[in-house]
Amino acid sequence: MIYSMLSNPLQPVPDRTEAPSIADLDSRRKRESGVTSSSPMRLRMESFIKEQQECIVRELEKIDGGKFRRDTWVRPAGGDGVSCVLQDGKVFEKAGVNTSIVYGTLPRPAIQKMRVNHKALDPDIDSLEFFAAGLSLVLHPQNPMAPTVHLNYRYFETMDKNGEGKAWWFGGGTDLTPSYLFEEDAIHFHRTIKDACDKHDRAYYPRFKAWCDKYFYIPHRGECRGVGGIFFDDLDEEEKDQEELFSYVQHCLQAFLPSYLPILEKRKDMLFGQREKEWQQVRRGRYVEFNLVHDRGTSFGLNTPGARVESILMSLPLTARWMYMHEPEKGSKEARLLGVLQKPVEWI
């Protein structure tokens, strides 16, 4: 067959050139035109979260005095990411600020599952191209008086073979996890988030605050992971138009530094002893339990073929502790925190 094709000049040679992938087309578009307000939403979200990652890392390095390790990775099927991690710093025991860009193909079972929340997805196709972009952040301070904080904002889009967007949605949120309760810190955190929400819809904060309390609940412990924040998922055209939701996510992410840094500055140098450090480690054990047992994002990541496990487990603290039958003394500061975690509070 090969000899016949080479020796017969009249026989057409089939075109073996593969069509460029959507990831390739997007890369070309960014090189040639950059990212503007008229670019596809997926490219605008990618650009935004990468800018915010640089801004956040820069500010955290000023506070800690140390430098984040930056690992850049490329996904063979399309996409890339940057994992920025600081360990054993002066202020942070462990801090991670990651961006992830993923192109891929959804199989039919995944499409059927997603149709529960997104009826715009075609139920009769066997596969569908998708794009996902997100920024995830977890900060675990050294000082037990300074709270852990978590943040994640993400965008998901399905596309046809030409890269035209079809179904899309935004998700995300942020929450605070103290080892010792300072009510003014919780109030400041929640008020800053509420201000960002209120720019778009005054119903957002109470709705997403309740969603956060429900999501970050540890059933086997009967308590919440922390003092809450906001959480939302699957916000699409049934909620608001794409531009409005993108603006909302931008304001929420930009509110992070004002919501957290004043708290950190106030608590990072407070005095503490062995008792406080031990309690912090117990609370971090609860953090680990939630993330490995109940968090959907962690589960999805660890069950995704080719996933970057180190980036997924970035959220876990460097150290934690499990003490058999440990209960705080009645009336103690530790017991006070536990009471709030067992019954979520309306902070504002």
Side-chain angles (χ1 to χ4, degrees):
M1 178 66 179
I2 295 175
Y3 174 80
S4 173
M5 291 173 60
L6 292 175
S7 62
N8 185 353
L10 299 179
Q11 182 170 340
V13 178
D15 183 8
R16 301 291 185 183
T17 305
E18 292 186 2
S21 67
I22 296 173
D24 292 335
L25 293 173
D26 280 351
S27 294
R28 183 190 304 166
R29 185 183 282 119
K30 287 184 287 186
R31 288 195 307 269
E32 295 177 351
S33 307
V35 179
T36 69
S37 58
S38 61
S39 298
M41 181 56 70
R42 59 182 179 270
L43 300 188
R44 295 167 63 192
M45 183 65 172
E46 174 186 351
S47 176
F48 173 66
I49 62 174
K50 288 182 175 180
E51 290 172 0
Q52 288 299 300
Q53 181 185 38
E54 287 299 316
C55 176
I56 292 170
V57 166
R58 185 166 57 247
E59 293 303 312
L60 297 181
E61 287 182 337
K62 288 180 185 177
I63 291 174
D64 188 273
K67 291 292 183 181
F68 279 75
R69 170 178 172 170
R70 288 168 167 81
D71 289 336
T72 301
W73 49 271
V74 176
R75 191 169 183 269
D80 56 47
V82 181
S83 296
C84 299
V85 178
L86 188 156
Q87 292 184 162
D88 289 319
K90 294 177 182 178
V91 173
F92 298 110
E93 180 182 276
K94 187 179 179 185
V97 187
N98 294 352
T99 54
S100 176
I101 311 298
V102 176
Y103 291 82
T105 304
L106 291 172
R108 188 181 181 89
I111 297 170
Q112 296 291 344
K113 188 175 182 180
M114 287 183 175
R115 283 200 80 247
V116 174
N117 295 311
H118 305 283
K119 301 303 182 186
L121 291 173
D122 187 344
D124 299 321
I125 56 177
D126 291 325
S127 64
L128 189 61
E129 301 298 309
F130 79 88
F131 168 91
L135 185 152
S136 297
L137 169 157
V138 179
L139 309 178
H140 295 291
Q142 297 274 14
N143 195 312
M145 303 301 169
T148 286
V149 68
H150 159 259
L151 172 150
N152 175 276
Y153 290 103
R154 55 195 176 272
Y155 173 73
F156 191 94
E157 178 180 295
T158 64
M159 305 159 288
D160 63 21
K161 296 294 183 181
N162 298 317
E164 290 297 319
K166 296 298 182 181
W168 55 269
W169 56 90
F170 290 93
T174 182
D175 61 289
L176 196 69
T177 305
S179 297
Y180 286 90
L181 180 64
F182 296 92
E183 291 187 358
E184 63 267 34
D185 294 352
I187 292 169
H188 170 80
F189 186 77
H190 279 264
R191 180 173 290 139
T192 308
I193 298 168
K194 182 179 184 298
D195 289 344
C197 291
D198 286 353
K199 292 177 181 177
H200 299 269
D201 192 323
R202 297 187 70 84
Y204 274 177
Y205 171 75
R207 175 182 163 195
F208 298 155
K209 192 268 185 190
W211 199 342
C212 181
D213 289 338
K214 182 179 180 180
Y215 181 80
F216 291 105
Y217 182 72
I218 310 173
H220 62 272
R221 294 291 189 181
E223 62 193 51
C224 293
R225 189 175 74 174
V227 295
I230 59 170
F231 177 87
F232 57 88
D233 205 2
D234 299 312
L235 298 192
D236 57 17
E237 69 278 359
E238 294 186 6
E239 181 73 34
K240 281 183 169 62
D241 68 50
Q242 193 177 53
E243 289 295 332
E244 173 63 22
L245 289 173
F246 181 43
S247 178
Y248 171 61
V249 167
Q250 287 177 304
H251 281 130
C252 285
L253 183 45
Q254 289 165 342
F256 167 69
L257 291 174
S259 73
Y260 182 69
L261 291 194
I263 297 172
L264 182 65
E265 291 282 11
K266 200 183 321 183
R267 307 301 173 196
K268 66 184 178 65
D269 297 317
M270 290 182 68
L271 296 177
F272 65 89
Q274 182 60 37
R275 168 178 166 167
E276 289 78 15
K277 194 65 181 177
E278 184 178 276
W279 175 245
Q280 179 196 53
Q281 300 303 294
V282 170
R283 296 311 311 167
R284 288 197 173 153
R286 300 288 201 274
Y287 203 93
V288 172
E289 290 175 24
F290 175 84
N291 282 29
L292 294 184
V293 177
H294 299 293
D295 185 59
R296 295 200 304 262
T298 303
S299 176
F300 176 82
L302 292 177
N303 286 286
T304 299
R308 194 171 192 271
V309 174
E310 288 297 320
S311 295
I312 297 166
L313 298 182
M314 170 275 296
S315 63
L316 299 183
L318 197 59
T319 60
R321 185 183 182 97
W322 284 266
M323 298 174 64
Y324 183 69
M325 298 298 287
H326 181 273
E327 289 191 20
E329 297 177 11
K330 290 184 178 180
S332 66
K333 293 179 293 183
E334 294 82 3
R336 181 166 170 260
L337 171 74
L338 199 56
V340 168
L341 299 182
Q342 291 170 344
K343 189 176 181 180
V345 171
E346 296 301 322
W347 296 104
I348 53 177

